[in-house]
Amino acid sequence: MDSRLTAAVAVGVGVAVATLGAIRYLSAGAPPFDPFATGLFVVGTGVLLVVAGGLAFANALDHLALRAATAVGAVTLLLAAFSPGSLRFGGVFWLALVAFALVGAGSYRTIQASR
């Protein structure tokens, strides 16, 4: 797979995760804590993927950590789209936080490799 394609997929998944997370969990009228905290983690996951993918694209970098982070982001996207309750604290406990941490680790490694 071309390195720029890998990075573009990461950016695309990141944008989709952040957008869907904002719509599903941060929208007005949602209960104050559970959906909002989950939304922060889901949107943060998307933003981290966008940053890491953008840096990888600019540097033509194809990093294994970016691929792993993109895969976790894609699973997060699928859960947010088809089973939004599973990412809430009461659903599968701390699943949004785990996704954020895994994508964060992959993004950190990608950012370090791009320097």
Side-chain angles (χ1 to χ4, degrees):
M1 183 181 278
D2 181 50
S3 59
R4 294 195 189 262
L5 179 60
T6 303
V9 169
V11 170
V13 169
V15 167
V17 168
T19 302
L20 188 59
I23 291 169
R24 290 269 191 201
Y25 304 107
L26 299 181
S27 63
F33 182 70
D34 277 355
F36 186 76
T38 301
L40 290 179
F41 287 129
V42 173
V43 170
T45 298
V47 169
L48 287 173
L49 266 178
V50 168
V51 169
L55 284 173
F57 189 84
N59 294 317
L61 178 68
D62 187 1
H63 201 265
L64 182 60
L66 179 63
R67 289 181 181 216
T70 304
V72 172
V75 170
T76 305
L77 177 63
L78 290 174
L79 287 174
F82 298 111
S83 182
S86 67
L87 291 174
R88 293 186 181 158
F89 289 105
V92 177
F93 189 69
W94 295 93
L95 190 55
L97 175 62
V98 170
F100 177 78
L102 290 173
V103 170
S107 297
Y108 175 77
R109 294 287 306 218
T110 301
I111 291 168
Q112 290 301 317
S114 69
R115 290 184 180 189

